[in-house]
């Protein structure tokens, strides 16, 4: 299994976590992911996921003009459903990561 296959399964939860901290836009999310070691995630790869998350009712989107002028930028916020989904992800991640860690540790 490649790291990209594993990443697809957890990227949504990571994006929910980033967006929960403050309203944000796509490039900013990519930078934040990179700060946490997700350097393989490009800005273009998160937009289809953000679109699906919006369709699923997890996000709200607003367009704002930059203070310096220029084009409008889409800012993403979590909906109530998005916050609920984030909490569910946290619970699932804790259980899965604990189980995988225990399994891998047994092999040592």
């Amino acid at each position: 299994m490649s790291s990209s296959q594993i990443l697809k399964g957890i990227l949504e939860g990571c994006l929910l976590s980033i967006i929960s901290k403050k309203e944000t836009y796509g490039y900013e999310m990519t930078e934040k992911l990179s700060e946490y070691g997700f350097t393989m995630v490009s800005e273009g790869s998160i937009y289809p996921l953000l679109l699906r998350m919006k369709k699923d009712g997890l996000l709200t989107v607003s367009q704002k003009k930059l203070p310096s002028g220029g084009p409008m930028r889409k800012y993403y916020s979590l909906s109530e459903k998005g916050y609920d989904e984030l909490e569910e992800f946290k619970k699932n991640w804790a259980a899965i990561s604990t189980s995988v860690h225990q399994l891998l540790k047994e092999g040592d």
Side-chain angles (χ1 to χ4, degrees), residues 24-27 43 47 61-76:
T24 188
Y25 56 95
Y27 181 73
E43 186 179 1
Y47 285 110
V61 180
S62 60
Q63 292 211 344
K64 297 182 181 180
K65 197 162 191 130
L66 296 173
S68 60
M72 300 288 275
R73 180 177 278 166
K74 285 185 182 179
Y75 282 82
Y76 298 86

Side-chain angles (χ1 to χ4, degrees), residues 4-102:
S4 64
Q5 288 173 310
I6 295 169
L7 182 62
K8 285 179 186 178
I10 61 170
L11 189 54
E12 181 177 312
C14 294
L15 290 173
L16 289 170
S17 181
I18 290 169
I19 298 168
S20 74
K21 293 169 180 45
K22 70 176 187 120
E23 182 180 58
T24 188
Y25 56 95
Y27 181 73
E28 191 174 34
M29 286 181 237
T30 305
E31 286 185 324
K32 188 57 82 175
L33 286 168
S34 183
E35 287 174 23
Y36 283 95
F38 293 93
T39 55
M40 71 296 287
V41 178
S42 67
E43 186 179 1
S45 67
I46 67 168
Y47 285 110
L49 185 53
L50 291 170
L51 181 61
R52 186 181 58 71
M53 292 165 66
K54 180 182 180 286
K55 286 181 181 178
D56 290 345
L58 304 177
L59 305 177
T60 59
V61 180
S62 60
Q63 292 211 344
K64 297 182 181 180
K65 197 162 191 130
L66 296 173
S68 60
M72 300 288 275
R73 180 177 278 166
K74 285 185 182 179
Y75 282 82
Y76 298 86
S77 301
L78 291 190
S79 66
E80 191 63 38
K81 186 176 177 183
Y83 281 105
D84 292 343
E85 186 73 17
L86 175 58
E87 289 308 310
E88 188 66 26
F89 174 80
K90 287 178 181 180
K91 288 178 197 169
N92 291 335
W93 180 253
I96 291 168
S97 63
T98 298
S99 297
V100 170
H101 179 74
Q102 288 175 342

